[in-house]
Amino acid sequence: ATPRHPLAEPLKAALAKAGVGDGVLLVLPADCDSSHVGLFLDAGRAVMAAPNGTRFVVVHHGYGAAGLARTLRLEDPSAKTTIIDFADPAPSDEDAVASAVTTVVAEVAATTDFTEARYGADGGRTVPRLSALAAPKPGPIQDSLDATDVLLVTGGGKGITAESALALAKDSGARLALLGRSDPESDSELAENLDRMEAAGIRYRYERADVTSAPAVAEVVARIEADLGPVTAVLHGAGRNEPAALFSLTEDSFRKTLAPKIGGLNAVLNAVDQDKIKLLVTFGSIIGRAGLRGEAHYATANDWMTELTLRFGQEHPKARAIALEWSVWSGTGMGEKLGVVSALMRDGITPIPTEEGITILRQVLADPAAPPVLVVCGRTSGLATLPIQKRELPLTRFVDRAIVHYPGVELITEADLSDGADPYLTDHLLDGQLLFPAVLGMEAMTQAAAATLDRTGTPVLSDVEFLRPIIVSPGGSTTVRLATLARDADTVDVVIRSDETGFSADHFRARLSFARPAELGERAPRDVALPPVPVEPISELYGSVLFQGKRFQRVLGYQRASARHAVAEIATSADHYWFAPFLPQERLLADPGTRDAMMHAIQCCVPDATLLPQGIEKLYLAEPGVQHDEYVLLDAKERFQDGDSYVYDLDVRNPDGTLVERWEGLKLRAVRKRDGAGPWVPSMLGSYVERACERLLGGTRSVVLEPDPAGRPAEGIAERRAQTALAAG
């Protein structure tokens, strides 16, 4: 503890009396500074020198030792660590001292792994957790920065700060004032960046200065303002990082690391008119939030800089102050400079591509509702020191084993498919192989997307692709892996992979949006003038033209079955179970058998081949319960044909004409072509003859084949003409 700290002796006595065991307790005043670095290091080394499993507890507030404590926990995973943040860590009131002592003793006794607890002035306890912030819609940044502004950038000649400054100046037209230590005459990277700014038409001024020297900063800021005008915005990106483990870290190195982040920011803010500052952005590091092996000093510097940014915003309510705590960037920045990007990726920490980092910066500045502190990161490999706000995943068939889960951001889950667990597979048997149906793929993707965003409702699917079949061997099993990535608060990209390809290739993929229109289209009256096409689908089509088994046999009949237009009645009522009784039964989408029939009913347009789905441009799915409880009417029209690929648009309506589902750009591919070989179901022959005539003769024509009345051939001119009239509709 610091000398004469009011909690030191009371805590020493209380801990001895409580008999909680050995450990190291570091008790600090509110808002430490560089003079406390030696005390930080002494405490850390005492823990590292102690037996495995030693407890380490820090009591502080504001500029404290959280960065060191988090790093120590990562350097020595056996160290049981608790960080206690009191609103007043050095109370003078006797009752307040007693209350604080009681709280600390309880926290020490409960220290079994890693905990960070914050106590407010009212005594309320909170535990910090990261939670996902949905990406805002793209927008202009003019509210934060415009052509009247001068943006002062520290560390701004190179790295991620230079890339960010260049992008912001292009977007806003602001003038740039760049501070750095390098000389463009001898630094090619800096010279190239300045040339890029010149080529982009950006008005800028580069000044060499050591940001840790307040007099030097004040001098160059005066020159900048004389040239460009008053500084109205600051982007602080200066920093120093020379990794060193706690045992080898010196006080001098610690202080030199604090200097550019804390001393540098203070020097800049003291050199400008703070009342004219409308925007302050500090580029910190996720290391300040989580710690990192060999980075106790850098973690502390970034932790303190975030606190300094918050306080500036509180003291200047007209200014917008934002602390961005970045994970490592790929392609540029400190991680590339230190050569640690590959090592971090091996540890499961995903870097941020430069372009994505710039995009996020633009989104934050364009969003007035963005909070003042944001952690920007990819995967963090489940760091114990960076707890994430978790939620339970729903119990659904395809959200089975979660491998990766960042709520609101990403989900990777696996499920095992087999004919025992998934009996519908036996009804989707083609050439001796069980095919995972596209409609169950849609259900699986919807379950994964809904779990990612914690959303309900039926999404709109777009850019749907069925790239490779997912095959299950009879009696065997196939593991599928669903991976999701949220694009915004409503939208998720989903892919399905399979162990058949070592999870290395996408089999199905789509974008799902839960922001769906209230109405799909106008009600249309049903055309009842057409007589039904003389075919009985169950007995004449299924098993020959159509390979689907019982669960999917929903085509009741056709009103039209031509080469490029199909109108069919599709059953919606069926009493089938889709998953084994020991699995969750809930489905998020309407009946998959009905939806599969919407695709395979189009088989009547290409009756001499098997049509398999390849993709869908956009699919407005029917919500459960809105379809008629007996049947719906499918109206499918061919948009175009390209070789063996056929593209259709589908409207699905209830009997009263209400549009309940719409497919735009359903792409089907013909396989298992028979090239006209029979036997033929008579009513299906017309489509084949029509397409064959077009191939041979060119042009377009309609061909309809109307079978003779059941039981006898049409006789005489009158009967044959009646049959012709019937065929012509």
Side-chain angles (χ1 to χ4, degrees):
T2 52
R4 296 179 298 281
H5 193 290
L7 294 182
E9 291 303 321
L11 275 173
K12 186 176 181 180
L15 289 169
K17 182 179 180 181
V20 295
D22 294 335
V24 176
L25 174 63
L26 176 60
V27 184
L28 299 169
D31 295 338
C32 296
D33 56 35
S34 60
S35 67
H36 296 90
V37 164
L39 185 61
F40 286 18
L41 292 176
D42 288 345
R45 288 170 183 153
V47 177
M48 300 289 282
N52 284 348
T54 294
R55 281 179 290 197
F56 180 40
V57 177
V58 174
V59 178
H60 72 162
H61 179 68
Y63 307 129
L68 176 134
R70 296 165 186 146
T71 293
L72 186 149
R73 170 61 175 75
L74 297 176
E75 289 192 17
D76 180 6
S78 76
K80 302 169 183 177
T81 306
T82 294
I83 302 168
I84 305 170
D85 187 323
F86 279 135
D88 182 5
S92 55
D93 178 79
E94 186 175 330
D95 290 340
V97 169
S99 176
V101 167
T102 300
T103 298
V104 171
V105 171
E107 291 283 0
V108 169
T111 299
T112 57
D113 187 8
F114 178 85
T115 302
E116 189 166 352
R118 297 175 181 174
Y119 288 87
D122 61 354
R125 183 182 189 269
T126 58
V127 176
R129 293 280 188 272
L130 286 187
S131 60
L133 180 69
K137 302 295 183 185
I141 67 169
Q142 274 73 17
D143 288 344
S144 296
L145 204 64
D146 59 37
T148 65
D149 290 308
V150 175
L151 175 62
L152 176 62
V153 184
T154 66
K158 296 185 289 185
I160 64 173
T161 317
E163 298 299 328
S164 301
L166 178 59
L168 295 181
K170 284 181 178 179
D171 290 350
S172 66
R175 289 151 284 170
L176 293 182
L178 308 171
L179 269 63
R181 292 184 300 173
S182 301
D183 184 350
E185 295 295 328
S186 57
D187 190 317
S188 59
E189 180 187 354
L190 173 59
E192 289 173 6
N193 286 340
L194 296 180
D195 288 343
R196 289 166 61 202
M197 294 178 187
E198 187 79 36
I202 296 169
R203 186 180 174 192
Y204 74 91
R205 183 183 180 104
Y206 178 78
E207 288 280 355
R208 294 184 65 191
D210 181 355
V211 76
T212 65
S213 170
V217 170
E219 183 179 336
V220 298
V221 167
R223 290 200 297 268
I224 286 168
E225 293 194 325
D227 180 20
L228 301 180
V231 172
T232 57
V234 174
L235 173 58
H236 185 52
R240 179 182 189 272
N241 188 7
E242 295 179 0
L246 266 170
F247 266 127
S248 59
L249 182 59
T250 65
E251 291 185 35
D252 181 62
S253 180
F254 205 128
R255 292 190 178 97
K256 286 181 178 178
T257 303
L258 290 173
K261 291 288 185 185
I262 309 306
L265 180 54
N266 278 321
V268 167
L269 293 176
N270 289 334
V272 301
D273 184 345
Q274 295 185 13
D275 291 334
K276 291 182 179 178
I277 298 298
K278 59 187 286 190
L279 177 67
L280 169 64
V281 179
T282 54
F283 274 12
S285 170
I286 193 174
I287 293 172
R289 181 72 47 184
L292 190 67
R293 294 187 300 272
E295 299 284 8
H297 48 335
Y298 193 64
T300 302
N302 283 281
D303 181 40
W304 288 10
M305 186 174 69
T306 291
E307 180 68 20
L308 180 54
T309 306
L310 282 172
R311 294 186 184 186
F312 181 86
Q314 293 163 359
E315 294 164 3
H316 300 82
K318 293 183 179 180
R320 188 177 182 197
I322 304 171
L324 295 175
E325 300 179 349
W326 298 101
S327 182
V328 64
W329 289 43
S330 60
T332 189
M334 190 74 74
E336 290 285 352
K337 181 179 178 181
L338 296 175
V340 299
V341 174
S342 296
L344 290 172
M345 290 179 69
R346 287 194 297 271
D347 287 342
I349 297 174
T350 307
I352 302 168
T354 300
E355 285 304 315
E356 287 194 26
I358 298 298
T359 297
I360 291 169
L361 176 62
R362 285 175 166 138
Q363 289 175 329
V364 170
L365 294 185
D367 180 14
V373 180
L374 282 169
V375 177
V376 186
C377 61
R379 293 181 188 168
T380 56
S381 191
L383 291 171
T385 53
L386 193 68
I388 295 174
Q389 186 68 46
K390 294 288 188 180
R391 62 169 179 263
E392 283 194 23
L393 290 168
L395 190 63
T396 52
R397 169 67 184 99
F398 299 105
V399 181
D400 189 5
R401 299 187 302 274
I403 299 173
V404 175
H405 184 211
Y406 291 86
V409 179
E410 180 187 21
L411 173 65
I412 299 178
T413 182
E414 288 184 349
D416 300 322
L417 305 178
S418 67
D419 50 10
D422 302 273
Y424 56 83
L425 289 171
T426 60
D427 289 330
H428 219 249
L429 180 68
L430 183 66
D431 295 334
Q433 294 179 319
L434 303 174
L435 300 184
F436 183 56
V439 291
L440 270 300
M442 296 177 198
E443 174 69 34
M445 290 190 282
T446 300
Q447 290 184 10
T452 302
L453 295 182
D454 193 24
R455 294 291 294 269
T456 58
T458 302
V460 175
L461 277 64
S462 60
D463 301 324
V464 185
E465 295 181 90
F466 305 107
L467 302 167
R468 298 169 181 82
I470 296 174
I471 299 170
V472 181
S473 299
S477 68
T478 295
T479 300
V480 291
R481 180 177 293 173
L482 291 97
T484 74
L485 186 63
R487 293 301 177 186
D488 56 41
D490 300 313
T491 310
V492 184
D493 288 340
V494 187
V495 302
I496 304 181
R497 296 185 172 186
S498 168
D499 63 357
E500 306 165 78
T501 51
F503 304 117
S504 62
D506 295 347
H507 286 243
F508 298 174
R509 63 184 175 214
R511 174 163 289 185
L512 285 74
S513 173
F514 289 88
R516 59 180 287 136
E519 298 290 339
L520 298 184
E522 296 180 355
R523 179 177 297 185
R526 178 177 177 180
D527 185 358
V528 295
L530 291 176
V533 175
V535 63
E536 211 298 306
I538 297 297
S539 61
E540 295 185 87
L541 299 183
Y542 286 111
S544 55
V545 178
L546 304 173
F547 71 88
Q548 288 79 6
K550 187 174 182 180
R551 283 177 179 80
F552 300 98
Q553 293 177 358
R554 305 297 183 86
V555 180
L556 299 175
Y558 287 94
Q559 291 186 8
R560 183 185 293 274
S562 64
R564 289 178 174 79
H565 189 189
V567 179
E569 291 182 356
I570 310 293
T572 57
S573 59
D575 186 18
H576 296 297
Y577 65 93
W578 292 89
F579 312 121
F582 58 84
L583 292 171
Q585 299 298 308
E586 181 186 8
R587 298 193 316 270
L588 303 186
L589 302 181
D591 188 89
T594 300
R595 184 160 288 122
D596 192 85
M598 294 172 191
M599 289 187 285
H600 71 244
I602 301 172
Q603 190 73 64
C604 70
C605 301
V606 190
D608 63 326
T610 297
L611 296 179
L612 296 179
Q614 281 192 300
I616 310 164
E617 293 173 8
K618 203 155 197 175
L619 174 51
Y620 299 89
L621 294 164
E623 297 184 84
V626 304
Q627 294 176 334
H628 189 268
D629 56 7
E630 293 184 5
Y631 73 96
V632 290
L633 198 67
L634 167 71
D635 189 338
K637 296 177 181 178
E638 185 176 300
R639 189 191 296 178
F640 66 85
Q641 175 191 354
D642 182 11
D644 290 332
S645 294
Y646 303 81
V647 176
Y648 281 80
D649 294 320
L650 287 63
D651 279 350
V652 182
R653 298 181 183 274
N654 280 338
D656 66 358
T658 302
L659 183 63
V660 294
E661 184 159 309
R662 171 165 282 170
W663 303 49
E664 296 176 357
L666 167 63
K667 187 176 184 180
L668 302 164
R669 184 168 183 82
V671 299
R672 302 170 77 219
K673 293 182 289 184
R674 300 198 305 271
D675 295 323
W680 280 97
V681 176
S683 56
M684 297 290 105
L685 186 56
S687 298
Y688 171 74
V689 173
E690 182 174 323
R691 291 185 187 273
C693 288
E694 290 179 6
R695 288 195 299 270
L696 293 172
L697 305 176
T700 60
R701 59 198 46 78
S702 295
V703 176
V704 179
L705 190 148
E706 182 68 30
D708 284 340
R712 65 178 182 83
E715 296 179 353
I717 294 175
E719 282 196 9
R720 288 197 294 272
R721 285 181 176 175
Q723 290 295 97
T724 301
L726 186 61

